[in-house]
């Protein structure tokens, strides 16, 4: 049985849409993250996997682009909590999780131009070396 509102909308030629999975918009559904992912990159716009600086940073962490997963700060609320992740916050915002390992840096375009920011990122990588390289003695 249709409601009066539905009937009016139909008479006006307005198409109604019904969400198949409305829980996703309410943040109740978890975003699946592949099991091989070791580093979550939190950024408004994800880095290009072909970017030379991005590739160099991953190489220094002994990671491949396939072992990273990019998401926006808003998507952090819907990632599964069953695993611990390492985070790289790419951009000027505060860490949004209580993760033990998190890197912070400006966006890549700014990182190219700022030697101090590159140095700070490298110091963070060194600080978390035992977490990124658990087999290192």
């Amino acid at each position: 049985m249709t409601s009066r509102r539905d009937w009016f909308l139909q008479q006006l030629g307005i198409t109604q849409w019904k969400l198949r999975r409305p829980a996703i918009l309410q943040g109740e559904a978890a975003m699946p993250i592949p099991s091989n992912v070791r580093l979550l990159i939190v950024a408004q716009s994800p880095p290009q996997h072909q970017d030379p600086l991005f590739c160099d940073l991953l190489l220094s962490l002994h990671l491949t682009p396939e072992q990273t997963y990019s998401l926006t700060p808003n998507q952090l609320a819907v990632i599964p909590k069953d695993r611990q992740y390492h985070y790289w916050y790419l951009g000027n915002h505060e860490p949004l999780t209580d993760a033990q390992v998190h890197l912070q840096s400006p966006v890549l375009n700014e990182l190219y131009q700022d030697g101090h920011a590159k140095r700070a990122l490298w110091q963070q990588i060194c600080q978390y070396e035992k977490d990124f390289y658990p087999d290192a003695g």
Side-chain angles (χ1 to χ4, degrees), residues 33-84:
I33 296 183
S35 60
N36 66 325
V37 169
R38 294 187 51 212
L39 179 68
L40 295 179
I41 300 171
V42 182
Q44 288 299 334
S45 59
Q48 298 296 317
H49 286 191
Q50 302 84 357
D51 185 283
L53 182 56
F54 179 73
C55 291
D56 288 346
L57 287 167
L58 290 185
L59 188 61
S60 73
L61 294 170
H62 298 281
L63 297 175
T64 64
E66 293 77 27
Q67 292 175 303
T68 66
Y69 192 83
S70 296
L71 48 102
T72 65
N74 294 337
Q75 291 174 316
L76 278 178
V78 294
I79 63 169
K81 306 293 188 227
D82 60 340
R83 288 179 35 202
Q84 289 283 40

Side-chain angles (χ1 to χ4, degrees), residues 6 15-16 22 24 31 35 38 46 50 54 60 70 88-89 98 100-101 115 121 132:
D6 294 340
T15 304
Q16 294 187 69
I24 288 177
M31 175 185 298
S35 60
R38 294 187 51 212
Q50 302 84 357
F54 179 73
S60 73
S70 296
W88 178 14
Y89 291 94
D98 58 351
Q100 186 175 9
V101 178
L121 179 58
F132 281 108

Side-chain angles (χ1 to χ4, degrees), residues 112-132:
Y112 269 108
Q113 308 302 321
D114 190 347
H116 295 291
K118 285 182 193 176
R119 191 173 305 109
L121 179 58
W122 182 251
Q123 289 171 342
Q124 291 174 61
I125 291 171
C126 290
Q127 176 185 353
Y128 295 119
E129 184 175 18
K130 64 177 176 35
D131 297 299
F132 281 108

